[in-house]
Amino acid sequence: MNISISMDIAAPKEMVFESYVRDSHVMEWSEFVVEYKFNEEEDRERVKVGATYTRVEEYLGRFVDIQSKIMEYEPNRRVTVKGACEDWEVWTNFQLEQHEPGVMRVTLTHTREVVSLWDRVSSLVTRWVLRRQLKQELTRLKAFVERRYQNSLKPEVPEPVEQTEGDEN
C-alpha cells in the first residue's frame, strides 16, 4: 500500500524541514506523537542516517511504540524513516522541493507492504483512514510552520523603560 500526500507551505525550506525532523517541534504540531526516545542522546540534536529511536504515538487512547531508523537523509531536502511496530512495517518519506518563490512543496509518502489476506481486505479502509490522517497532519504542520515563519518576520519591540521622577532621559 502506497499513499502520497502533497501540500504547499509558505516558509523557507530550512524552517519547514526542521519542523518535521526536530522532535520538540513535531510534538507541538502532531496530533498523534507524544514522545521520542532516542537510543543515543546525540541523535536528538543531530539527524543522520542510521540513527534509531522509538516514536510513541497515541491512537484512541492506546499508546504504540514505533521502532524507527533513519534510512535516508539529505538536509533540508528529504528524510526516509523505516518504522516497525508489532506486526507491520512502514516506510515514511518526507520530501521538500521549491514550488514557487517562498513556497515549498512537501510530499509525505507512506509505504507499507500488504501481505496477509486480512491486510488486503482491510487495506481499502486503512488506505482511506491513513490518507485522511496524513492530510490532517500535513495541515497541522503547515499551520505550525507558517505561524513560526510569520512570527520570525515580526520586528522585536524593545521593552519600554520606566522613568522615575527626576530622570531627564
Side-chain angles (χ1 to χ4, degrees):
M1 176 171 49
N2 191 33
I3 299 171
S4 188
I5 304 285
S6 293
M7 188 169 288
D8 293 342
I9 300 179
K13 67 181 175 183
E14 297 83 5
M15 187 174 283
V16 177
F17 197 79
E18 177 188 44
S19 296
Y20 183 79
V21 300
R22 290 281 171 233
D23 63 319
S24 57
H25 291 318
V26 174
M27 290 186 293
E28 285 187 58
W29 61 260
S30 177
E31 180 179 4
F32 305 106
V33 179
V34 294
E35 183 181 8
Y36 281 84
K37 300 174 189 172
F38 288 86
N39 297 340
E40 300 291 330
E41 193 56 35
E42 71 182 31
D43 291 341
R44 182 181 304 275
E45 296 302 320
R46 195 178 67 164
V47 180
K48 63 182 180 187
V49 171
T52 58
Y53 57 93
T54 301
R55 181 173 159 147
V56 182
E57 298 186 7
E58 182 182 5
Y59 296 98
L60 303 171
R62 182 174 164 240
F63 292 92
V64 178
D65 287 355
I66 301 169
Q67 305 307 314
S68 304
K69 182 176 183 178
I70 297 175
M71 305 303 288
E72 297 177 307
Y73 176 69
E74 291 179 50
N76 299 318
R77 186 165 182 282
R78 73 180 177 149
V79 61
T80 301
V81 176
K82 179 175 82 171
C85 174
E86 298 172 8
D87 59 346
W88 55 262
E89 182 176 282
V90 64
W91 289 67
T92 303
N93 177 268
F94 178 87
Q95 191 156 326
L96 284 177
E97 59 188 15
Q98 187 81 38
H99 179 61
E100 56 187 61
V103 177
M104 299 305 299
R105 171 141 309 149
V106 172
T107 302
L108 186 60
T109 304
H110 275 246
T111 304
R112 181 175 156 210
E113 187 175 351
V114 177
V115 287
S116 71
L117 178 60
W118 172 246
D119 279 348
R120 289 186 186 123
V121 172
S122 67
S123 70
L124 296 174
V125 173
T126 304
R127 179 185 301 275
W128 180 82
V129 170
L130 187 54
R131 179 177 292 285
R132 186 169 177 231
Q133 287 177 340
L134 291 177
K135 186 170 184 177
Q136 289 172 346
E137 285 285 86
L138 276 185
T139 300
R140 284 188 283 278
L141 172 63
K142 174 184 173 74
F144 176 79
V145 174
E146 289 180 351
R147 185 175 49 252
R148 276 187 69 210
Y149 181 56
Q150 289 305 314
N151 287 340
S152 75
L153 297 176
K154 292 179 183 175
E156 290 202 23
V157 179
E159 293 287 322
V161 177
E162 289 188 32
Q163 293 184 358
T164 58
E165 283 186 43
D167 273 352
E168 294 182 17
N169 295 337

